[in-house]
Amino acid sequence: MDAATASLIQSPILPHETSRNGTGSMFLTASSPGFTPSASKLQLRSKQNAFTKFSKPLITPSKIRRSFVVRASASDDTSSKPIAPLQLQSPAGQFLSQILVSHPHLLPAAVEQQLEQLQTDRDSQGQNKDASSPLPGTDIVLYRRIAELKENERRRTLEEILYALVVQKFMEANVSLIPSMTPSSSDPSGRVDTWPIKVDKLEQLHSPEMYEMIHNHLALILGSRIGDLTSVAQISKLRVGQVYAASIMYGYFLKRVDQRFQLEKTMKLLPGAGGADESKTSVEQPEDVTSPHPEVGSFAGGVSAKGFGSEIKPSRLRTYVMSFDSETLQRYATIRSREAVGIIEKHTEALFGKPEIVITPQGTVDSSKDEQIKISFGGMKRLVLEAVTFGSFLWDVESHVDARYQFVLLN
């Protein structure tokens, strides 16, 4: 297996139809999506637009808009604590957010109801299209425009259903999502990571084989600082956002391959199952182990390329993935639906904000206005672990919802 294929293991890519208008999030564009094998290396397909513009919902409820907010404890009745950084926009999304706040155990039933309504609307539109008689040219254009608006509304509703289910999985695990990132006024150093750095619960949400890969991912990002939870670094906010988005996609990819691995392990279909000692499984390393991790740029005081390569440790799941042919590997490393891509974009932008991006005449990104943030290495570890878990949960809920309302583009 060549270096390009090995690198793709750590660089999940997006489906070709990520957006109809060709725009995309800078967090996704500049991090890891868009990698395609070419000769012996990966080439990054650049995009000019910085972010996907969010359209306003077609229907604005007359009642007051609510975001994901829960009341604080009785000792602090005057404050409220968001349970997710992204505010849902559609009427269905706002309804689900209220269910999550007041009666989270009822969310699955509420989601089933919303999916039934989406399916009814889609079926009704299909029947109307089949039964419609030939229309004059202007009427056809109007009819197509209305149909397109309805489809966009359904897609936005579906995105927010998926997001609500992901948030519920974090709530069930008793893990709080990191709030929107702003410097804390209570911290004189200006650090943004005021959230608790407790990673035990996040680590326990994954299989042992999957966590080995996640640990390697952390080592590639943090290098020798992986055990240092207190030191603070000044880092590009855009770069941290890119690592976060890339880690979501990595978690999505890992959960997908781990699901297949665990099935074959249970059915004793893995090579050497029940034979040699599994702990002695060797790992085929790519030739170019000094290549930087494709998801990560250089942080302040970062690790050298040699350091990145040397941090990769043997892993049985990694060995299993390295046995895939290039076509299978690329299929598993692809985000399957536009809705999942939209969630990654919007959640990341809600967490980090929309950076001010300037494209130079040469087509490069002008980083002169890039905001710098202060964050501890412990905060970075917590951030990356949350992102990988978010991607893992996203795979789960995407598969669950697609079984009831088919929307996935790729298998």
Side-chain angles (χ1 to χ4, degrees):
M1 181 175 294
D2 59 14
T5 303
S7 298
L8 187 58
I9 295 175
Q10 298 165 341
S11 306
I13 60 176
L14 301 179
H16 296 298
E17 300 181 39
T18 57
S19 176
R20 291 187 176 184
N21 59 7
T23 61
S25 169
M26 176 59 72
F27 290 123
L28 299 183
T29 303
S31 52
S32 69
F35 287 101
T36 55
S38 175
S40 61
K41 61 182 179 179
L42 300 176
Q43 295 181 341
L44 177 63
R45 297 196 302 269
S46 61
K47 298 180 182 178
Q48 296 298 321
N49 295 327
F51 296 103
T52 302
K53 296 181 180 179
F54 300 163
S55 58
K56 295 183 178 179
L58 299 178
I59 304 174
T60 303
S62 57
K63 296 181 180 180
I64 187 170
R65 176 180 298 174
R66 295 186 184 182
S67 59
F68 282 151
V69 173
V70 293
R71 295 296 177 189
S73 61
S75 61
D76 189 13
D77 294 334
T78 59
S79 64
S80 60
K81 180 181 178 181
I83 62 176
L86 178 62
Q87 178 177 338
L88 302 188
Q89 300 281 339
S90 71
Q94 293 180 36
F95 168 69
L96 294 178
S97 71
Q98 294 176 29
I99 294 293
L100 269 175
V101 170
S102 58
H103 303 91
H105 63 284
L106 297 178
L107 185 72
V111 165
E112 291 290 342
Q113 183 183 32
Q114 295 299 324
L115 292 176
E116 288 177 5
Q117 184 61 50
L118 285 177
Q119 187 64 55
T120 300
D121 293 345
R122 186 163 68 177
D123 293 343
S124 175
Q125 183 175 340
Q127 292 173 1
N128 292 337
K129 182 178 180 180
D130 295 337
S132 60
S133 57
L135 300 172
T138 54
D139 290 343
I140 291 177
V141 173
L142 179 60
Y143 178 85
R144 289 177 177 173
R145 178 56 179 162
I146 293 174
E148 181 181 349
L149 291 174
K150 289 182 177 179
E151 178 62 27
N152 290 339
E153 180 66 24
R154 282 196 298 272
R155 181 171 293 117
R156 180 164 55 251
T157 298
L158 186 58
E159 281 185 8
E160 297 188 352
I161 288 173
L162 294 170
Y163 189 76
L165 288 171
V166 170
V167 173
Q168 186 201 30
K169 289 180 77 69
F170 275 98
M171 294 177 67
E172 289 176 343
N174 197 25
V175 175
S176 300
L177 282 164
I178 293 173
S180 297
M181 195 170 294
T182 54
S184 173
S185 57
S186 60
D187 191 332
S189 67
R191 282 173 49 185
V192 297
D193 56 318
T194 56
W195 55 81
I197 305 176
K198 296 181 179 180
V199 297
D200 293 347
K201 291 180 181 178
L202 287 169
E203 293 172 350
Q204 294 168 5
L205 292 172
H206 310 288
S207 70
E209 294 87 357
M210 183 171 170
Y211 184 70
E212 286 180 345
M213 295 281 284
I214 295 172
H215 186 272
N216 282 337
H217 178 71
L218 285 167
L220 289 166
I221 293 172
L222 301 177
S224 61
R225 298 297 189 100
I226 190 170
D228 181 0
L229 302 182
T230 57
S231 296
V232 178
Q234 184 165 303
I235 308 173
S236 160
K237 189 176 184 180
L238 172 62
R239 209 62 179 150
V240 176
Q242 291 169 348
V243 170
Y244 187 89
S247 296
I248 292 179
M249 292 183 283
Y250 188 57
Y252 179 99
F253 162 75
L254 279 184
K255 186 56 181 284
R256 188 175 186 181
V257 297
D258 185 59
Q259 192 175 67
R260 170 173 161 174
F261 174 84
Q262 297 299 334
L263 176 61
E264 294 189 9
K265 179 181 176 182
T266 302
M267 298 179 68
K268 300 186 183 304
L269 297 176
L270 293 174
D277 184 359
E278 294 177 0
S279 63
K280 296 181 180 179
T281 303
S282 62
V283 178
E284 177 188 353
Q285 295 288 352
E287 294 179 6
D288 184 13
V289 296
T290 61
S291 297
H293 193 285
E295 298 168 1
V296 186
S298 297
F299 291 154
V303 184
S304 67
K306 181 178 180 181
F308 280 120
S310 62
E311 292 291 344
I312 299 178
K313 297 181 179 179
S315 161
R316 193 174 185 208
L317 182 57
R318 179 180 174 83
T319 305
Y320 175 75
V321 173
M322 295 285 283
S323 70
F324 291 176
D325 60 67
S326 59
E327 182 179 349
T328 301
L329 188 61
Q330 180 156 338
R331 177 165 60 86
Y332 271 73
T334 300
I335 307 290
R336 299 185 302 168
S337 67
R338 289 192 293 265
E339 289 77 8
V341 174
I343 289 172
I344 297 171
E345 291 179 349
K346 294 177 183 179
H347 174 71
T348 306
E349 289 173 352
L351 182 58
F352 294 93
K354 292 185 178 182
E356 185 177 353
I357 302 298
V358 178
I359 306 299
T360 66
Q362 292 75 28
T364 59
V365 177
D366 182 3
S367 59
S368 60
K369 296 185 179 180
D370 187 12
E371 181 182 353
Q372 301 291 310
I373 60 174
K374 292 181 179 180
I375 184 171
S376 68
F377 285 95
M380 273 298 303
K381 182 177 180 179
R382 170 66 170 80
L383 199 69
V384 172
L385 277 173
E386 176 187 288
V388 173
T389 305
F390 190 101
S392 172
F393 286 167
L394 181 57
W395 163 262
D396 288 337
V397 303
E398 182 189 57
S399 302
H400 171 78
V401 171
D402 185 62
R404 291 153 177 78
Y405 178 85
Q406 189 172 4
F407 68 98
V408 168
L409 298 174
L410 306 170
N411 293 319

